[in-house]
């Protein structure tokens, strides 16, 4: 038969060919676990986790800000959507910063380290200037921009410490200087202490704790010995005890750990009503907008305690979803930091991951009554443009680093554009596409030679 090597028609050959054996007796759980692990190990997993997780947290945060802030806005004789509109505007600006950061090359990120640090220090000094800085809830750490718009420079200090510290440690590692304690600690630790001092002058201990966590994260990634961490933690604990003992407000917050009653003078009112909100949510919550605690019972319902309102309206399912998103974001950041060969990327990705996860743990732990109320917002979720803008820029950094992995670059290069294809080069219905096929084969072989899947 023409066109046939065996003389049998194609149908007969297909019928005579034995079918591929299927695995028998394989546990479905093992099979699904294997598939999940393969998907988890793909080059673009971190990229999708960071991008998708951060966007989901931000969108869900906008919904909860709108729900939790309506009563507060009406009590202040403002429109019910006042805080939501401000948060949506900040989210739009933050999305622009995220898009810019994820497209910037690593060299430009490193070049911005010193200008961002200088700008953050300058603004944090302006906070203490009479007539420029303003106090909110007893903390002198805000600058008024006119009208209802304010900015908190200490939030930008976190981003400044991450970028500048990562650039500093990367340059010292290139020169093989990190094996010496003095090069590991100087000038990183003095600069961090300067930022901490400017923050503590305003009385914002919560932000100081986050900045300390970022410093420890950078030192850990730089390979600081355990005895150095023990000594530093001892000094930090001593300073923390002194700061708490000398402040009646901080002592009262520490005394509310695990409280189930507001106590004398309602000193634990906020902590207890946060627990009440979580307890009344049940498995699936009372529904969006149906929270009872936000009607004046729970202070800061749309900022520091928005997680409690989430538990009341969306229940255990909603809070576990938020926790899962933050866990995925933290895992992806650790994966980016662990797989890169660039020391700056490793330090910056580790610093951003430490920042976001530590702040989330402190905020959620305070709402659950496991940690003292530190007054820090839930990243990407709570109301506050000053916290949202630098955090979204930092997320853009992680996305840029995830895209820059060798395996991710190869996977993105294999993608074919859907539009703008020339005729005869691989469009649907075209027959003359050997050039397109050969190009894809060359790209695939290049990707395989790099050792990536």
């Amino acid at each position: 038969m023409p066109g046939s090597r065996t003389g049998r028609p194609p149908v007969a050959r297909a019928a005579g060919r034995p079918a591929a054996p299927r695995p028998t007796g394989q546990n479905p759980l093992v099979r699904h676990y294997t598939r999940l692990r393969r998907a988890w190990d793909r080059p673009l997993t971190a990229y999708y986790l960071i991008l998708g997780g951060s966007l989901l947290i931000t969108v869900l945060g906008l919904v909860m800000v709108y729900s939790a802030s309506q009563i507060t806005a009406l009590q202040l004789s403002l429109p019910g959507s006042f805080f939501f509109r401000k948060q949506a505007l900040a989210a739009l600006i933050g999305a622009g910063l995220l898009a810019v950061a994820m497209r910037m090359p690593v060299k430009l990120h490193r070049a911005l380290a010193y200008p961002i640090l200088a700008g953050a220090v300058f603004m944090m000094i302006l906070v203490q200037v009479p007539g420029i800085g303003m106090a909110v809830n007893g903390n002198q750490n805000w600058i008024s921009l006119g009208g209802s718009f304010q900015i908190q420079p200490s939030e930008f200090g976190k981003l400044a410490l991450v970028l500048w510290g990562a650039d500093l440690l990367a340059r010292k590692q290139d020169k093989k200087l990190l094996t010496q304690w003095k090069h590991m600690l100087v000038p990183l630790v003095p600069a961090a202490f300067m930022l901490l001092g400017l923050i503590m002058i305003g009385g914002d201990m919560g932000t100081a704790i986050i900045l300390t966590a970022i410093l420890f994260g950078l030192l850990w990634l730089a390979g600081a010995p355990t005895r150095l961490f023990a000594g530093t933690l001892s000094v930090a604990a001593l300073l923390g005890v002194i700061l708490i003992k000398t402040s009646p407000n901080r002592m009262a917050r520490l005394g509310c750990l695990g409280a189930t009653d507001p106590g004398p003078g309602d000193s634990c009112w906020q902590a207890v009503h946060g627990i009440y909100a979580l307890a009344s949510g049940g498995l699936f919550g009372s529904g969006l907008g149906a929270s009872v605690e936000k009607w004046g019972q729970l202070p800061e319902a749309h900022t520091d305690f928005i997680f409690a309102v989430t538990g009341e309206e969306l229940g255990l399912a909603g809070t576990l979803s938020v926790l899962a998103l933050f866990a995925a974001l933290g895992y992806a950041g650790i994966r980016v930091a662990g797989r890169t060969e660039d020391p700056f990327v490793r330090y910056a990705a580790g610093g951003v991951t430490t920042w976001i996860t530590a702040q989330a743990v402190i905020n959620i732990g305070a709402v659950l009554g496991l940690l003292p109320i530190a007054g820090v917002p839930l990243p990407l979720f709570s109301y506050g443009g000053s916290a949202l803008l630098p955090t979204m820029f930092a997320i853009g950094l992680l996305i840029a680093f995830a895209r820059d992995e060798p395996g991710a670059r190869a996977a993105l290069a294999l993608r074919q554009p859907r539009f703008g294809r020339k005729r005869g080069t691989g469009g649907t219905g075209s027959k003359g596409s050997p050039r397109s096929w050969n190009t894809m084969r060359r790209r695939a072989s290049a990707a395989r030679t790099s050792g990536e899947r």
Side-chain angles (χ1 to χ4, degrees):
M1 183 176 180
S4 174
R5 296 181 179 179
T6 61
R8 289 185 297 171
V11 177
R13 291 202 312 270
R17 184 182 303 156
R22 293 185 179 181
T24 57
Q26 187 179 9
N27 191 340
L29 293 178
V30 175
R31 185 168 62 252
H32 289 302
Y33 172 77
T34 304
R35 291 179 181 177
L36 181 61
R37 187 169 182 177
R38 288 178 181 175
W40 203 253
D41 289 336
R42 289 177 181 175
L44 291 176
T45 298
Y47 169 73
Y48 288 130
L49 282 178
I50 297 171
L51 180 61
S54 59
L55 290 181
L56 285 174
I57 294 173
T58 305
V59 171
L60 183 57
L62 285 173
V63 174
M64 293 311 304
V65 165
Y66 180 65
S67 176
S69 65
Q70 291 182 6
I71 307 304
T72 303
L74 294 175
Q75 289 175 344
L76 298 174
S77 301
L78 297 170
S81 60
F82 175 78
F83 294 105
F84 168 75
R85 292 201 304 266
K86 289 184 62 178
Q87 186 74 355
L89 177 61
L92 288 176
I93 299 174
L97 293 176
L98 185 148
V100 170
M102 66 180 289
R103 293 293 181 180
M104 288 168 54
V106 174
K107 291 183 179 179
L108 187 53
H109 287 146
R110 300 186 68 168
L112 289 176
Y114 282 87
I116 292 178
L117 177 64
V121 171
F122 178 72
M123 289 192 299
M124 292 167 71
I125 294 175
L126 285 181
V127 167
Q128 307 305 324
V129 177
I132 298 179
M134 59 181 300
V136 176
N137 295 331
N139 293 337
Q140 183 81 15
N141 53 6
W142 294 83
I143 295 177
S144 177
L145 301 179
S148 61
F149 292 95
Q150 304 164 353
I151 189 172
Q152 188 176 2
S154 57
E155 293 290 341
F156 294 88
K158 303 172 187 176
L159 178 63
L161 180 60
V162 168
L163 285 177
W164 178 79
D167 177 69
L168 176 69
L169 292 175
R171 285 188 287 108
K172 290 197 172 189
Q173 180 172 331
D174 291 338
K175 297 178 181 179
K176 304 185 184 304
L177 298 176
L178 291 182
T179 55
Q180 306 176 33
W181 279 36
K182 61 179 182 179
H183 286 289
M184 183 178 293
L185 300 179
V186 180
L188 176 63
V189 174
F193 281 176
M194 177 189 64
L195 294 174
L196 288 171
L198 291 173
I199 292 173
M200 288 306 301
I201 290 175
D204 188 2
M205 190 171 180
T207 304
I209 294 174
I210 305 301
L211 213 66
T212 305
I214 295 174
L215 175 62
F216 284 162
L218 291 174
L219 290 175
W220 179 269
L221 290 170
T226 306
R227 58 184 180 274
L228 174 62
F229 276 98
T232 308
L233 284 173
S234 301
V235 174
L238 179 61
L239 291 176
V241 170
I242 295 174
L243 291 173
I244 292 175
K245 287 286 187 180
T246 55
S247 173
N249 183 30
R250 297 188 186 116
M251 282 295 297
R253 291 184 178 184
L254 186 63
C256 293
L257 286 177
T260 57
D261 185 84
D266 293 333
S267 57
C268 298
W269 180 273
Q270 187 179 28
V272 170
H273 278 271
I275 297 296
Y276 289 169
L278 290 171
S280 61
L283 187 58
F284 296 106
S286 57
L288 278 174
S291 170
V292 175
E293 290 293 333
K294 69 182 180 183
W295 286 77
Q297 301 296 321
L298 179 63
E300 308 295 338
H302 61 297
T303 55
D304 300 343
F305 271 69
I306 194 171
F307 188 76
V309 179
T310 304
E312 186 178 4
E313 295 188 350
L314 302 182
L316 181 64
T319 55
L320 289 181
S321 299
V322 174
L323 291 175
L325 289 173
F326 276 110
L329 196 59
Y331 165 79
I334 294 173
R335 171 171 164 159
V336 171
R339 291 194 173 191
T340 182
E341 298 291 338
D342 190 335
F344 171 79
V345 173
R346 180 169 62 255
Y347 295 132
V352 171
T353 306
T354 304
W355 163 13
I356 294 176
T357 53
Q359 187 165 326
V361 167
I362 292 173
N363 177 276
I364 296 174
V367 174
L368 295 175
L370 303 176
L371 296 174
I373 299 175
V376 296
L378 190 58
L380 301 172
F381 202 84
S382 297
Y383 170 79
S386 294
L388 184 62
L389 295 181
T391 306
M392 294 195 74
F393 187 88
I395 292 295
L397 287 178
L398 287 180
I399 296 174
F401 299 155
R403 286 167 54 95
D404 200 48
E405 289 183 7
R409 286 201 305 266
L412 291 172
L414 285 173
R415 291 183 173 181
Q416 294 294 319
R418 294 184 178 182
F419 303 101
R421 294 176 179 172
K422 296 181 180 180
R423 292 184 178 179
T425 58
T428 56
S430 62
K431 299 181 180 179
S433 58
R435 178 181 297 179
S436 175
W437 173 246
N438 290 333
T439 303
M440 292 179 66
R441 290 180 61 185
R442 286 195 299 270
R443 289 181 179 177
S445 61
R448 285 193 295 268
T449 56
S450 66
E452 299 292 336
R453 298 184 181 183

